[in-house]
């Protein structure tokens, strides 16, 4: 059955019209192949590769397949050889019935590019069916008054074969009254007629039994027989007459079984038994007898089984009316079956791809065909998919469609699509068929790893254990599978002076960072480097992040005393006049701490003293001052131990020993300089003192050279007898007065007065800073032993 149709795509919907002719780009001429019915499965039909002019490898790569119009897999294509083989035994009578020739239409479909080839398989008939009579016994009533040469219709035999294998002849068993005459019907079939050859005599033979044989034209021929029972009747000179010779009726295919179709009526002018009429089907096929039945008395025709427009569209039924005298007449009943929309559209999937890569565009997802066995509007089809999908339907050849991706997809946005192909007819009510396809989007490596932070700041306390985990970095990859497997690494550092490989290591699997050795805040307070994250895709993608490591300080450095220096061979002695007032600045302890923050905050305290209560140490700046007025009863020599302690946890400390020597003889005017209130002194900043101390140490180094030269000169003068030494009276020169406002000599320097040997006139010979030096202290001790140096280092003018 050919159905004309067309497909129109509007708003992603495709309207399909079945057409008798193929599309313009498909082969318009069909190749014909022939095969005998009942041929064994796997039998060779043809070599399609040779017929199509293709190589076997090309047919395999283009996924060649055979698609039949009736969606039955009658044939099988061997892609290894290109041979077209039978997939099942073919029964011509089942496939085509009485239609001749029996043609099965199919298409050869090739992909990449998509191409169709039309072909026909002609199924040749073999003589595999014998003629059969539907009735085992045929009853014929003949009046004895029948004249010689009268003909009587006999029910014909049925033979499913066609052509020369169909029914060809009838014979009847030898008798003296009848012979068989063959008549041709309008449909090309033959039927037998019984011809009276000799007059009948009811009294002589009321009944005759004959054997009717039907023969086909096969080789060897097949035959079938039935009994013909002839009843000789009395004279009946009027045959039944139908009101009309042709009856037509239209019946919908969904008419219930048992429904009344039509009533056939005939009249007979005879009376009595000769006027009674019996109705029967005449020359009716098996399909007609299964589908309809007739009441032999009333002539009502009823439906016996369901009608199906898609199988048979009309029935032509011969009805015979026979009276009691054996006379008969016939008419024809034409039953036309009306189609209703009782068949939903059908979808046949030829090929399908369930997984497509995300970066591929216009990829073939599925190739399928649609059809509807109904006719007219009931057979017109609308094909569509959802509107919100990146896929489209394209009509190809005849009733074939392709489902393709409209553009490149993104697996990270959507990894799976559920596509529902909906095929709807235009009948009333509309019927539809849905076919769901699940498409998985395979991943390609199109996303680089991304760190959770652009930069990381890690805090680690110094003196850590080697191989300590100090933190971690983390990156994610939107891809999947191996494309999302991330490997972490340290990137080459631009600072070539930083031995990054010996400081830090990273776990390539999870991004954990480890310190390979103990860190020292005093050597390295902070450093930074880059880490990389690389996926396992092909090609591999990577990204990087900045990691800054801040080393936190521990209190691991004790305070270091800069002044007075503790590595001198002789202790440093501070000179204090006995006339000094309370709060007199004796000296200042200067210390530093290699730590930072509160670990470097220093405090000072007097740990030990020869005479407690005489001296005090300011806690914040390390200044050593007199706590009260000095008296004659105070010892001349004092030893002070000052403790310098930081503010760390636990605190670390260092101590320094000071030697203080009380001296007399300085005139009060020269010693009394403007004082500074203790509150002002305590208000000096610790930072200022540290800067002064560092500057003082640098200055002391320069002055030490001068001291060394002075000591050498003094030793030369001691080679002669010592003279009388005196201290000049009057004020010190202005340039020797401390201008810092502390009221004493500078806290960083002390001055020794070296008196010139001579006539008793005293003057300053040399002025230098007092830096701890063994030789200098030795000189002081030697001078102290002289008899004329009275009152324990006191100076007088006598």
């Amino acid at each position: 059955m050919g159905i004309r149709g067309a497909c129109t795509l509007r708003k992603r919907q495709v309207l399909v019209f079945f057409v008798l002719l193929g599309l313009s780009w498909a082969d318009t001429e069909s190749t014909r192949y022939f095969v005998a019915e009942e041929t064994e499965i796997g039998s060779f039909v043809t070599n399609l590769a040779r017929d199509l002019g293709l190589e076997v490898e090309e047919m395999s790569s283009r996924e060649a397949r055979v698609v039949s119009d009736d969606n039955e897999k009658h044939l099988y294509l061997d892609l290894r050889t290109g041979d077209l083989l039978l997939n099942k035994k073919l029964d011509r009578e089942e496939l085509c019935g009485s239609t001749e020739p029996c043609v099965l239409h199919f298409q050869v479909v090739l992909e990449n590019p998509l191409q169709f080839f039309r072909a026909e398989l002609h199924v040749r008939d073999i003589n595999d069916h014998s003629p059969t009579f539907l009735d085992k016994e045929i009853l014929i009533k003949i009046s004895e008054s029948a004249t010689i040469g009268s003909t009587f219709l006999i029910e014909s035999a049925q033979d499913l074969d066609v052509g020369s294998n169909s029914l060809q002849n009838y014979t009847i068993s030898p008798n003296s009254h009848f012979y068989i005459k063959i008549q041709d019907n309008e449909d090309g079939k033959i039927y037998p007629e019984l011809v009276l050859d000799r007059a009948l005599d009811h009294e002589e033979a009321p009944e005759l039994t004959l054997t009717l044989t039907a023969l086909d034209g096969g080789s060897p021929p097949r035959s079938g027989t039935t009994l013909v029972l002839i009843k000789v009747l009395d004279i009946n000179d009027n045959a039944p007459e139908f009101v009309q010779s042709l009856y037509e009726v239209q019946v919908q295919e969904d008419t219930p079984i048992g429904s009344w179709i039509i009533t056939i009526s005939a009249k007979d002018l005879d009376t009595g038994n000769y006027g009674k009429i019996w109705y029967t089907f005449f020359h009716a096929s098996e399909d007609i007898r299964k589908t309809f039945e007739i009441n032999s008395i009333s002539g009502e025709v009823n439906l016996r089984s369901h009608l199906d427009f898609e199988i048979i569209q009309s029935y032509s039924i011969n009805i015979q009316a026979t009276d009691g005298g054996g006379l008969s007449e016939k008419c024809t009943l034409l039953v036309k079956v009306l189609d209703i929309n009782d068949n939903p559209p059908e979808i046949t999937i030829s090929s399908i791809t369930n997984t497509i890569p995300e970066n591929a565009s216009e990829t073939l997802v599925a190739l399928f065909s649609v059809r509807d066995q109904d006719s007219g509007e009931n057979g017109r089809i609308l094909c569509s998919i959802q509107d919100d999908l990146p896929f489209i339907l394209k009509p190809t050849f005849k009733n074939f469609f392709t489902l393709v991706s409209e553009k490149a997809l993104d697996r990270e946005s959507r990894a799976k699509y559920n596509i529902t192909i909906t095929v709807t007819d235009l009948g009333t009510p509309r019927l539809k068929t849905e076919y769901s396809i699940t498409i998985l989007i395979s991943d390609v490596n199109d996303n680089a790893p991304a760190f959770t932070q652009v930069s990381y700041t890690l805090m680690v306390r110094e003196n850590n254990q080697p191989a300590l985990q100090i933190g971690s970095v983390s990156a994610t990859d939107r891809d999947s599978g191996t494309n999302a497997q991330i490997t972490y690494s340290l990137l080459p550092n631009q600072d070539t002076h930083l031995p990054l490989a010996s400081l830090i290591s990273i776990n390539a699997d999870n991004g954990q960072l480890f310190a390979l050795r103990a860190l020292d805040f005093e050597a390295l307070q902070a450093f930074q480097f880059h880490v990389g994250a690389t996926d396992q895709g092909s090609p591999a993608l990577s990204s990087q992040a900045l990691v800054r490591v801040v080393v936190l300080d521990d209190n691991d450095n004790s305070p270091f005393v800069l002044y007075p220096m503790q590595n001198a061979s002789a202790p440093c002695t501070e000179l204090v006049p006995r006339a000094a007032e309370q709060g007199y600045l004796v000296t200042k302890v200067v210390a530093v701490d290699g730590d930072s923050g509160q670990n470097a905050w220093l405090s000072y305290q007097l740990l030990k003293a020869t005479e407690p209560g005489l001296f005090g140490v300011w806690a914040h700046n390390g200044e050593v001052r007199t706590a009260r007025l000095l008296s004659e009863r105070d010892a001349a020599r004092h030893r002070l131990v000052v403790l310098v302690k930081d503010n760390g946890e636990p605190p670390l400390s260092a101590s320094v020993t000071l030697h203080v020597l009380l001296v007399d003889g300085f005139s009060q005017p020269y010693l009394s300089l403007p004082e500074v209130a203790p509150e002002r002194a305590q208000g000096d900043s610790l930072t200022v003192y540290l800067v002064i101390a560092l500057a003082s140490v640098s200055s002391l180094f320069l002055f030490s050279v001068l001291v060394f030269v002075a000591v050498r000169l003094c030793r030369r003068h001691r080679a002669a007898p010592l003279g009388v030494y005196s201290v000049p009276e009057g004020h010190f020169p202005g340039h020797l007065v401390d201008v810092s406002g502390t009221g004493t000599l500078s806290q960083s320097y002390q001055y020794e007065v070296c008196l010139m040997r001579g006539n008793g006139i005293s003057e300053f010979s040399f002025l230098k800073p007092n830096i701890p030096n063994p030789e200098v202290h030795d000189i002081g001790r030697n001078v102290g032993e002289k008899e004329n140096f009275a009152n324990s280092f006191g100076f007088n003018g006598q």
Side-chain angles (χ1 to χ4, degrees):
M1 175 186 69
I3 302 176
R4 177 173 301 274
C7 298
T8 303
L9 177 61
R10 185 177 182 184
K11 295 183 179 180
R12 302 176 60 92
Q13 295 183 338
V14 182
L15 182 61
V16 181
F17 299 93
F18 288 105
V19 294
L20 293 175
L21 298 179
L23 297 180
S24 60
W25 53 270
D27 291 343
T28 57
E29 295 184 359
S30 299
T31 304
R32 297 181 180 181
Y33 301 101
F34 297 85
V35 65
E37 67 172 331
E38 303 299 331
T39 302
E40 292 297 325
I41 297 175
S43 297
F44 175 83
V45 177
T46 186
N47 186 279
L48 279 180
R50 181 188 65 244
D51 295 345
L52 299 179
L54 300 175
E55 296 294 332
V56 176
E57 293 77 11
E58 182 179 359
M59 294 191 66
S60 178
S61 64
R62 294 182 63 182
E63 299 181 6
R65 65 180 63 86
V66 174
V67 180
S68 300
D69 283 2
D70 58 357
N71 294 328
E72 295 292 335
K73 297 182 179 179
H74 302 299
L75 300 172
Y76 166 73
L77 177 58
D78 189 350
L79 294 179
R80 296 173 299 178
T81 61
D83 292 340
L84 184 63
L85 308 176
L86 281 179
N87 196 42
K88 59 170 67 174
K89 282 187 176 182
L90 302 180
D91 188 346
R92 196 208 63 81
E93 289 73 30
E94 180 181 350
L95 294 174
C96 302
S98 60
T99 303
E100 182 66 13
C102 181
V103 180
L104 301 180
H105 297 275
F106 65 95
Q107 291 84 33
V108 180
V109 183
L110 301 175
E111 296 183 7
N112 302 319
L114 188 63
Q115 192 173 8
F116 294 81
F117 295 91
R118 298 194 59 178
E120 298 176 355
L121 180 65
H122 291 247
V123 182
R124 292 195 297 262
D125 182 57
I126 63 173
N127 193 24
D128 56 344
H129 293 87
S130 298
T132 58
F133 291 90
L134 299 180
D135 296 322
K136 299 298 182 182
E137 183 179 279
I138 299 175
L139 175 62
I140 301 177
K141 297 178 181 180
I142 302 176
S143 174
E144 63 179 348
S145 63
T147 61
I148 297 174
S150 299
T151 60
F152 304 92
L153 299 177
I154 302 177
E155 187 71 23
S156 61
Q158 306 286 330
D159 193 341
L160 297 178
D161 294 325
V162 295
S164 61
N165 295 323
S166 65
L167 188 62
Q168 300 293 327
N169 193 19
Y170 289 92
T171 61
I172 197 166
S173 59
N175 65 92
S176 59
H177 294 279
F178 298 94
Y179 67 91
I180 290 297
K181 181 180 178 182
I182 306 299
Q183 297 289 343
D184 294 328
N185 204 351
E186 296 176 355
D187 56 3
K189 295 182 180 180
I190 63 172
Y191 61 91
E193 288 183 350
L194 193 62
V195 181
L196 183 62
D197 190 44
R198 188 169 69 90
L200 298 175
D201 187 358
H202 175 75
E203 290 71 21
E204 179 182 353
E207 290 184 359
L208 296 174
T209 301
L210 304 176
T211 300
L212 180 64
T213 302
L215 299 172
D216 63 19
S219 180
R222 291 174 176 263
S223 62
T225 61
T226 185
L227 293 179
V228 179
L229 179 61
I230 300 175
K231 290 187 176 182
V232 181
L233 305 177
D234 288 338
I235 296 175
N236 179 25
D237 56 353
N238 289 290
E241 294 181 1
F242 285 97
V243 177
Q244 58 192 74
S245 61
L246 177 63
Y247 293 83
E248 291 186 12
V249 64
Q250 293 181 341
V251 182
Q252 289 190 339
E253 61 176 326
D254 62 343
T255 301
I257 296 176
S259 298
W260 171 82
I261 302 299
I262 195 173
T263 299
I264 304 299
S265 177
K267 295 180 180 180
D268 195 312
L269 297 177
D270 294 324
T271 60
N273 188 53
Y274 295 133
K276 293 181 179 179
I277 300 175
W278 287 268
Y279 300 94
T280 59
F281 289 146
F282 187 69
H283 291 169
S285 65
E286 186 176 3
D287 287 335
I288 293 176
R289 295 188 179 220
K290 287 181 178 179
T291 307
F292 302 96
E293 61 182 1
I294 188 170
N295 189 308
S296 61
I297 304 299
S298 63
E300 292 182 354
V301 179
N302 297 316
L303 187 63
R304 189 175 182 182
S305 63
H306 288 293
L307 300 176
D308 192 344
F309 175 84
E310 288 70 38
I311 297 177
I312 300 177
Q313 290 76 42
S314 64
Y315 295 87
S316 181
I317 306 174
N318 294 319
I319 298 177
Q320 177 178 273
T322 305
D323 62 16
L327 298 179
S328 63
E329 188 60 45
K330 67 175 182 178
C331 70
T332 301
L333 171 62
L334 180 60
V335 180
K336 293 183 178 180
V337 182
L338 300 181
D339 183 39
I340 64 169
N341 195 26
D342 60 341
N343 290 283
E346 299 176 5
I347 301 176
T348 302
I349 302 296
S350 297
S351 67
I352 187 170
T353 303
N354 295 108
T355 302
I356 61 176
E358 62 176 320
N359 61 347
S361 61
E362 296 188 3
T363 302
L364 178 64
V365 176
L367 172 65
F368 63 95
S369 62
V370 296
R371 72 167 184 170
D372 194 314
Q373 297 186 28
D374 295 320
S375 62
E377 289 295 314
N378 297 331
R380 296 175 62 191
I381 295 176
L382 191 71
C383 187
S384 64
I385 60 174
Q386 303 98 306
D387 291 335
D388 57 344
L389 298 178
F391 298 89
I392 58 175
L393 287 175
K394 290 184 178 181
T396 54
F397 168 72
K398 201 175 179 181
N399 57 337
F400 281 86
F401 291 86
T402 57
L403 175 64
V404 298
S405 58
E406 189 174 18
K407 58 183 178 180
L409 306 177
D410 185 6
R411 189 205 64 82
E412 289 70 36
S413 299
R414 188 168 179 180
K416 182 174 71 172
Y417 291 89
N418 291 318
I419 304 174
T420 301
I421 301 174
T422 303
V423 181
T424 307
D425 61 25
L426 299 182
T428 302
R430 293 193 175 189
L431 301 179
K432 70 176 181 179
T433 300
E434 294 182 346
Y435 188 91
S436 296
I437 300 175
T438 299
I439 305 299
L440 301 178
I441 310 302
S442 61
D443 184 50
V444 296
N445 193 27
D446 56 349
N447 289 278
F451 282 93
T452 56
Q453 300 175 214
V454 178
S455 63
Y456 297 80
T457 301
L458 306 179
M459 304 291 184
V460 57
R461 193 165 294 278
E462 67 172 330
N463 302 320
N464 57 283
Q465 293 292 331
L468 173 70
Q469 180 182 346
I470 62 175
S472 64
V473 295
S474 177
T476 58
D477 196 311
R478 296 180 62 196
D479 295 320
S480 64
T482 57
N483 295 331
Q485 295 178 2
I486 299 177
T487 301
Y488 299 91
S489 62
L490 297 177
L491 300 181
N493 198 5
Q494 296 180 352
D495 186 2
T496 58
H497 300 289
L498 180 64
L500 183 62
S502 63
L503 290 176
I504 298 296
S505 70
I506 188 170
N507 189 314
D509 297 325
N510 54 28
Q512 293 179 348
L513 294 167
F514 299 89
L516 296 179
R517 59 181 175 85
L519 301 178
D520 186 2
F521 173 82
E522 288 72 32
L524 184 64
Q525 287 79 32
F527 60 94
Q528 64 185 24
F529 54 91
H530 287 85
V531 295
T534 305
D535 59 28
Q536 302 298 315
S538 179
L541 301 179
S542 63
S543 62
Q544 63 180 20
L546 177 67
V547 179
R548 176 176 173 81
V549 179
V550 178
V551 182
L552 301 178
D553 183 43
D554 261 349
N555 192 27
D556 58 345
N557 290 281
S558 300
F560 178 77
V561 179
L562 298 176
Y563 181 84
M565 295 185 296
Q566 299 300 298
N567 58 352
S569 60
C572 176
T573 301
E574 308 290 341
L575 299 180
V576 178
R578 287 185 180 273
E581 297 183 358
Q582 179 182 356
Y584 177 83
L585 177 62
V586 177
T587 187
K588 180 176 181 179
V589 177
V590 179
V592 295
D593 195 307
D595 296 318
S596 65
Q598 68 176 12
N599 295 329
W601 296 352
L602 301 181
S603 62
Y604 305 82
Q605 68 181 70
L606 186 60
L607 190 61
K608 292 181 181 180
T610 302
E611 186 172 343
L614 180 58
F615 298 96
V617 177
W618 285 22
H620 298 296
N621 57 17
E623 292 181 350
V624 180
R625 295 179 181 269
T626 57
R628 60 178 175 80
L629 295 175
L630 302 179
S631 66
E632 295 294 334
R633 291 175 298 180
D634 292 330
R637 295 177 180 272
H638 293 268
R639 181 174 177 271
L640 305 178
V641 178
V642 178
L643 179 67
V644 183
K645 182 172 63 174
D646 61 25
N647 197 37
E649 184 62 38
L652 301 177
S653 62
S655 62
V656 60
T657 300
L658 302 176
H659 295 271
V660 179
L661 186 62
L662 303 182
V663 296
D664 296 324
F666 285 103
S667 297
Q668 185 65 30
Y670 303 128
L671 298 176
S672 300
L673 296 175
E675 296 182 356
V676 178
E679 292 79 7
R680 180 178 178 183
Q682 291 179 354
D684 292 342
S685 172
L686 177 60
T687 305
V688 175
Y689 281 113
L690 290 176
V691 173
I692 295 174
L694 292 174
S696 300
V697 171
S698 301
S699 301
L700 285 174
F701 175 74
L702 298 176
F703 280 105
S704 62
V705 177
L706 300 176
V707 172
F708 176 78
V709 174
V711 170
R712 300 297 294 179
L713 292 175
C714 288
R715 285 183 177 178
R716 291 180 182 177
H717 288 293
R718 288 194 185 96
L722 293 174
V724 180
Y725 296 87
S726 63
V727 176
E729 296 182 357
H731 294 284
F732 286 104
H735 68 277
L736 299 178
V737 178
D738 181 19
V739 295
S740 65
T742 60
T744 65
L745 294 178
S746 173
Q747 61 186 14
S748 302
Y749 297 89
Q750 295 178 347
Y751 296 90
E752 291 183 351
V753 179
C754 182
L755 303 180
M756 291 295 293
R757 180 188 63 204
N759 55 5
I761 301 174
S762 301
E763 62 181 359
F764 286 104
S765 172
F766 187 69
L767 200 63
K768 66 180 187 298
N770 184 16
I771 297 177
N773 191 301
E775 295 180 357
V776 176
H777 288 286
D778 289 341
I779 295 174
R781 286 195 296 271
N782 292 334
V783 174
E785 294 176 355
K786 299 299 181 177
E787 295 178 356
N788 60 348
F789 204 86
N791 298 325
S792 300
F793 289 90
F795 294 92
N796 55 53
Q798 305 298 327

